[in-house]
Amino acid sequence: MKPLLRLIPYLLRYKTTLILGVGTVVGSNLFTVVQPLFLGKAVDEFKLGVETHTYVTSDLLVWAGLIVGFSLIAGIFTFLTRQTIIVTSRNIEYDLRNDLLEHLQRLPYSYFQNTPTGDLMAHATNDIGAVRNVLGPGIMYPSDTLLTCTLVLTLMFFQDWQLTLLSLIPMPLVSIVVYRLGKVIHKKFDERQEQFSKLTTRAQENLSGIRVVKSYVREEYEIGRFEKLSSDYLDKNLVLARVQSIMWPLMFVLVGLSLVITIYFGGLKVIDGAMTIGTLSAFISYLVMLIWPMIAFGWVMNLLQQGAASMARLSAIFDTQPDIRDTEATDRSVTAIAGRVEFRNVTFRHRGSERTVLQNIDLIVEPGTTLAVIGPTGAGKSTLVNLLPRLYDVTSGQLLIDGLDVRTIPLDILRTHIGYVPQETFLFSDTISQNIRFGAFNAPEEELLKAADISQISKDVDDFPNKYGTMVGERGITLSGGQKQRTSIARAVITNPSILILDDALSSVDTHTEEEILRRMRVFMKGRTSIIISHRISTVKDADMIVVLEDGTIVERGTHEDLVALNGRYASLYRKQLLEKELVEL
Amino acid sequence: MQEEEVLGKAYDARLMRRLIRYLRPYKRHVALGILLSLLVSAMEAIRPYFTKLAVDTDIANGDKNGLLVTILLFLMVMIVRGLLQYVNAYLTQWIGQKTIFDLRMEVFRHIQSRSMRFFDRNPIGRLITRVTNDVEVLNDMFSSGIVMVFSDVFTIIGIFYFMFAMNAELALVTLSVLPFLFWGTFLFRKKAREAYRDVRLQIARINTFMQEHITGMLVDQIFRRERRSYGQFTEINAAHRDANIRSIFYYALFYPAVDLIGAVSIGLIIWYAGANALEGTVTIGTVMAFVQFNEMFWRPIRDLSEKYNILQTAMASSERLFQLLDDTTTIAVAEHPVPLDSVQGKVEFRNVWFSYTPATDGTQSPEWVLKDVSFSIQPGQTIAIVGHTGAGKTSIISLLSRFYDIQKGEILVDGIDIRRLRPADLRRHLAVVLQDVFLFSGTIHDNIDLGNEDIPADRVKAAARIVGAQRFIDQLPAGFDAEVKERGATLSVGQKQLLSFARALAYNPRILVLDEATSSVDTETEFLIQAAIRKLLTHRTSIVIAHRLSTIQTADRILVLHKGEVRETGTHAELLALNGIYRRLYELQYRHQEQAAQ
């Protein structure tokens, strides 16, 4: 239960409402528990009337009216209970979910690479849901149960303590049954879900490997495997059904037992004249009133346990400290960046990994020049540029921008001045305009058009149904790989960066368009620093400096002419790409 | 990821008839379920009658023994009722589960028998949803949806019966609130359903937003959009909260309203009893029994109104499922297929034209992947196919396995057009080793024989030994029984390739199709792979999409495919001398291998 303590600050935010809510619980209970008394009085009055042959209609009407009136008042209170306590639980859920996103936003890139999105989604939905259950039903029902039991039991005791004790014997069993069975059901349900995901995985695997299945004529075998899992799933479901099916009948029997005891012993008392028939009738009504709180009690115990487990998982996220952020070492006086980049003996390893991704990199890029990085997959090219906006921090050595260690530049200033086009183009399902203006949402129309022209997305956009207002993604048009990359370039250009990074950002763009983009880029990037990663010689050949990266080290550096003359890796790549061009044209 | 929940009408006779058909094998169970529902409902409805009996007959007459008898009888009825209710609840679940198991297997079986075109058209995710979730949704419909409707209806009828039997007039007075209860419940259901749908919609929006912004967190952070994204999120989050609060409002209103209607009903009972006290038509027991009846009839009414939702979702899911089951994309099997017991191994492509997108209306000429491709391979020969990306090499594999049918020309195996063969017969004599090795979860052994029991264990081991996979398998803690995890994540690329060679060899096909992987492996593994390929190719007709110089050099003939056409054929030396496409391909792909080998 300890993890739930973390929720106290959230609860305190709504303390007035919650106190009011508990007040309404008291109100609704007070007005409900007296109703059986009225019924009992009415029954006795009725009996008296029959026995004495007197008209009791008007008296009975008073009782009937009281029952309806009290029920109305109790109903208003019950309505208010839900409107306060349950509504508060939704408010806290809202706060929690906002806080979760806000916290996630501060966590570094590496966190998201190591945590599957699906897990985070599960925390944001299921775990927050389980915690909300604690806050809503978990507050409403226990307070309700406590009050109802206290009031009803007091009243019952006053009327007849012996009968009260007797008739209540089976009642705690109801709570225990709900609690115990609830636990088993929860466990069996998890087992069932696990089997269901096995079934899903199997289907996924089968369909992904359908070519192999068909090639080797293994369809029947695959059907057999799936049938086995399906049948296990069936069994798990039936086990769950067996436990679930027993719950309500068992409860009915227990409640019925209570009723039988009351009628029998109460009946004996009535026969002996120790009790009126009206009191007996009221007793029966009380028993009915106790059923739900007893069920709720067992149920809430489970909710609390599940909620605590979920809160513990959420706490693990909230307790993850962002390791890339502004610290005391941050120099607040830095407000702009000119663009001189210097790698000073930089080595990088991922945390907890032995493998050296970058080793002893020394590199200087002067403002206004272009650096191109080329090399095989996995050489560390992306990691190299990811160090600039501090997606990672160096393991050893120093990365300096304008002569300052990047770790001392305010994160906000640093990232604002870097235009970044990531390798994996990610666009949001929003309009083209919103996507381009992503980092500069106040940019005027002409800036938008300018960025779109530099990135050469403008012509494509002109053909779209709603121009820049066209939605992209699931609910809009599907962009081609090249169009996405060009939109992503426009998004970086519009922020007017001092340093522009293109991480293999032209790979899906055809060579002709690429030339157009690079030409415009040269004009735009005058006086700014560009870093371009590519696999294509055509993209990098005009750069002021080209470095060839292999296994995390710089193996060749120089201009295009230098490197061709060197007749090393770059030159060999250059020859191959020429051949490829010839082949395509054949 | 999530399909938008589009709900249509709640009842469609055509779909319903088709769904009911799945219950046919269990019609006795369904009948038993209905019978049990009837009994349970009757025992439920009789409960207040016992109260009346105890009060009016036993207590009124001071009959203590009679009271004991009544009470024991009452207890017995309740225990029996509990037992029957338990059996019935389990039985209905059983029926539902059995039925969806049958349906799920039918869907899976159906998918397995589709042709490749079907898989090209249907994304895997969609098919998985059909097999899993769409089938799952029907469980409620088959279990509680059908049998429990009877239970609810019987309970209501039972309650009415006993009430009218005890006191018809009082029954009418009590039931006068019923229209309000009905109206209230159905109104509530409608509102709650709308609110629920809105909540679902908002949850989907939250999920989409979160999914997108977690995946794109990098972009958010780099472009300093955190605050704005947070702002957007709070709006969506607030919409979700407000939808929930609306839903709470209906619940908050409904439950007290039901209580109030109940109270009014009790008030009416008391009033009526008072008015008729002197006539002696109403006894105390009757009043008490009616008070209990009053609490009983709103539950079945509420349950009935819930069935509407079950029906509605069931209709939407079954529509999607039946659409899938009605799909007819299969490879056409000849009416009288030519049996194929043994194969010599002669393969011939005769003027083959092929497109993945055949023009259906005949107006537009399709995008040809293969144009007038002809070649033949004698039994036992090896032919290497080379070509640049997009030349149509992989299509040749798919066509020979008859994953697709060609538009023009003929593909012959031993002189028989493969369209005259049963696809399974053809594929049994053919083994395909694809570039991306696909490993299934299971043991190493399972991945070699693919669960084929006709392949003896020693042949699996021999195959592994011959291709040189034995060494690394023996190093695994469990050897051949070692589990392959997550599609072989623990195995190296080279090891996976060796396994796929062993797989092909274990099946011992007459015709082998090999799509060599391009990924580079270490020298030692490369040596193993080259040796394995040599062994694979001997004594069988082989078509190799070659990426290795060593493989090309062992081939009897090389076929140069370029933009869907066979442009050059001959041996390595002949083709080099030609100074054409092959020469350039050689420079691009194979020459450095020669340099490395030297």
Side-chain angles (χ1 to χ4, degrees), chain A residues 1 3-4 7 86 89-90 92-94 96-97 100 121-139 186 189-190 299-315, chain B residues 203 240 244:
Chain A
M1 295 297 128
L4 293 175
L7 292 169
I86 305 281
S89 80
R90 288 292 173 189
I92 296 180
E93 176 193 19
Y94 166 81
L96 255 178
R97 197 171 273 130
L100 181 68
M121 292 296 295
H123 295 313
T125 51
N126 303 346
D127 284 334
I128 288 187
V131 171
R132 189 206 69 87
N133 273 338
V134 171
L135 296 169
I139 292 177
H186 190 71
F189 186 80
D190 281 351
W299 183 56
V300 162
M301 287 310 289
N302 283 325
L303 282 190
L304 283 175
Q305 285 181 355
Q306 288 155 23
S310 285
M311 195 61 220
R313 283 192 286 272
L314 287 173
S315 295
Chain B
I203 288 180
H240 169 253
N244 268 310

Side-chain angles (χ1 to χ4, degrees), chain B residues 5 29 87 143 178 215 238 287 302 373 382 410 437 473 484 519:
Chain B
E5 215 180 327
H29 296 94
V87 172
S143 53
L178 206 58
T215 320
V287 172
R302 189 198 53 187
V373 169
T382 298
E410 272 180 304
V437 179
I473 296 172
V484 172
S519 47

Side-chain angles (χ1 to χ4, degrees), chain A residues 480-540:
Chain A
S480 73
Q483 288 172 329
K484 277 192 203 159
Q485 284 188 335
R486 283 179 281 145
T487 310
S488 174
I489 293 172
R491 177 171 68 189
V493 165
I494 204 171
T495 62
N496 202 17
S498 306
I499 302 171
L500 181 73
I501 301 169
L502 301 183
D503 186 356
D504 206 10
L506 292 162
S507 58
S508 305
V509 176
D510 65 82
T511 39
H512 169 73
T513 313
E514 181 186 22
E515 260 171 53
E516 293 285 314
I517 296 174
L518 288 174
R519 212 183 48 211
R520 286 171 169 79
M521 204 78 101
R522 264 190 292 280
V523 179
F524 174 72
M525 288 310 288
K526 200 150 274 169
R528 309 164 200 249
T529 311
S530 319
I531 301 179
I532 301 173
I533 294 179
S534 177
H535 283 103
R536 270 198 225 151
I537 300 287
S538 57
T539 320
V540 303

Side-chain angles (χ1 to χ4, degrees), chain A residues 252-265:
Chain A
F252 279 125
V253 171
L254 286 173
V255 171
L257 192 64
S258 217
L259 195 66
V260 162
I261 293 174
T262 311
I263 296 176
Y264 181 65
F265 290 102

Side-chain angles (χ1 to χ4, degrees), chain A residues 165-182:
Chain A
L165 284 180
L166 276 172
S167 61
L168 283 181
I169 291 171
M171 279 303 182
L173 282 176
V174 172
S175 283
I176 294 170
V177 163
V178 176
Y179 176 66
R180 286 291 165 109
L181 276 181

Side-chain angles (χ1 to χ4, degrees), chain B residues 68-181:
Chain B
L68 188 63
V69 172
T70 308
I71 233 64
L72 286 178
L73 206 64
F74 186 14
L75 189 61
M76 222 169 63
V77 168
M78 270 192 302
I79 290 171
V80 172
R81 173 183 171 271
L83 280 174
L84 291 184
Q85 198 185 17
Y86 168 63
V87 172
N88 197 28
Y90 180 68
L91 180 70
T92 47
Q93 278 295 316
W94 185 89
I95 294 169
Q97 290 296 334
K98 279 292 210 189
T99 319
I100 64 163
F101 171 79
D102 296 345
L103 184 62
R104 177 170 284 134
M105 285 316 296
E106 185 185 337
V107 173
F108 189 76
R109 234 172 243 284
H110 185 81
I111 292 175
Q112 292 297 299
S113 63
R114 297 307 92 189
S115 72
M116 285 314 291
R117 279 196 202 282
F118 173 83
F119 295 101
D120 293 343
R121 214 175 39 229
N122 292 290
I124 290 178
R126 189 191 298 166
L127 295 177
I128 293 172
T129 311
R130 295 291 171 278
V131 174
T132 55
N133 296 336
D134 280 336
V135 174
E136 204 62 31
V137 163
L138 293 176
N139 179 34
D140 284 344
M141 151 87 197
F142 283 125
S143 53
S144 50
I146 291 175
V147 177
M148 287 305 179
V149 164
F150 286 95
S151 172
D152 295 332
V153 171
F154 288 152
T155 307
I156 295 174
I157 294 173
I159 293 169
F160 282 11
Y161 171 79
F162 281 105
M163 285 173 89
F164 278 94
M166 277 185 207
N167 188 325
E169 242 180 88
L170 185 55
L172 279 177
V173 170
T174 312
L175 292 180
S176 63
V177 300
L178 206 58
F180 296 100
L181 192 59

Side-chain angles (χ1 to χ4, degrees), chain A residues 43 46-47 53 55 57 60-61 64 67-68 71-72 75 79 82-83 86-87 90-91 93-94 97-98 101-102 105 107 112 117 121 124-125 192 196 200 202 204-218 221-223 225-227 230-231 233-234 237-238 241-242 245-246 249 252 256-257 260 263-264 267-268 270-272 277 281 284 391 412 415 420 426 428-429 438 441 491 576 579-580 582-584 586, chain B residues 55 59 62 64 67-68 71 75 78 81-82 85-86 89-90 93-94 97 101 104-105 108-109 111-112 114 116 119 128 131-133 136 207 210-213 215-228 230 233-234 237-238 240-241 244 248-249 252-253 256 259-260 263 267 270-271 273-274 277-278 282 284 288 388 398 403 424 427 432 438 440-441 450-452 487 503-504 507 562-563 581 584 587-588:
Chain A
V43 168
F46 172 75
K47 188 165 179 275
H53 291 280
Y55 278 100
T57 321
L60 282 183
L61 256 181
I67 288 176
V68 175
S71 180
L72 182 68
F79 172 78
R82 282 179 182 268
Q83 288 294 77
I86 305 281
V87 164
R90 288 292 173 189
N91 278 317
E93 176 193 19
Y94 166 81
R97 197 171 273 130
N98 281 343
L101 183 85
E102 193 180 33
Q105 285 185 330
L107 293 178
F112 297 97
T117 308
M121 292 296 295
T125 51
R192 186 195 89 116
F196 187 72
T200 311
R202 188 82 268 282
Q204 163 108 43
E205 193 179 87
N206 167 275
L207 293 168
S208 311
I210 194 76
R211 280 184 87 94
V212 179
V213 171
K214 290 197 165 283
S215 291
Y216 286 92
V217 201
R218 303 313 297 150
Y221 172 68
E222 286 293 304
I223 290 169
R225 278 183 88 174
F226 189 77
E227 183 155 24
S230 269
S231 146
Y233 178 60
L234 171 77
N237 265 302
L238 291 180
R242 215 166 295 158
S245 305
I246 213 164
F252 279 125
L257 192 64
V260 162
I263 296 176
Y264 181 65
L268 290 183
V270 174
I271 292 171
D272 294 339
I277 186 82
S281 155
I284 294 174
L391 297 183
D412 198 41
R415 289 184 176 168
Y420 186 88
F426 188 89
F428 291 90
S429 19
F438 193 75
F441 40 85
R491 177 171 68 189
K576 273 193 179 177
L579 268 167
E580 228 166 85
E582 266 180 57
L583 259 176
V584 172
L586 266 175
Chain B
V55 174
I59 298 176
K64 290 187 180 177
L67 182 62
L68 188 63
I71 233 64
L75 189 61
M78 270 192 302
R81 173 183 171 271
Q85 198 185 17
Y86 168 63
Y90 180 68
Q93 278 295 316
W94 185 89
Q97 290 296 334
F101 171 79
R104 177 170 284 134
M105 285 316 296
F108 189 76
R109 234 172 243 284
I111 292 175
Q112 292 297 299
R114 297 307 92 189
M116 285 314 291
F119 295 101
I128 293 172
V131 174
T132 55
N133 296 336
E136 204 62 31
N207 284 345
M210 277 222 120
Q211 175 95 33
E212 202 168 83
H213 282 262
T215 320
M217 188 60 84
L218 170 75
V219 183
D220 252 348
Q221 290 181 344
I222 288 205
F223 287 93
R224 308 304 292 150
R225 268 286 284 236
E226 291 100 326
R227 290 315 304 169
R228 259 180 92 83
Y230 178 78
F233 182 68
T234 53
N237 199 6
H240 169 253
R241 178 196 59 195
N244 268 310
I248 294 169
F249 175 79
L253 208 57
D259 283 345
L260 186 63
I270 294 172
W271 164 76
L278 294 187
V282 183
I284 294 177
M288 286 170 70
H388 198 55
S398 302
F403 283 153
R427 290 171 194 162
V432 181
F438 192 89
F440 294 89
S441 54
L450 292 177
N452 191 337
R487 306 238 181 103
R503 184 189 283 172
Y507 274 78
H562 194 71
K563 296 178 182 167
I581 296 172
R584 288 177 177 79
E587 302 264 339
L588 196 61

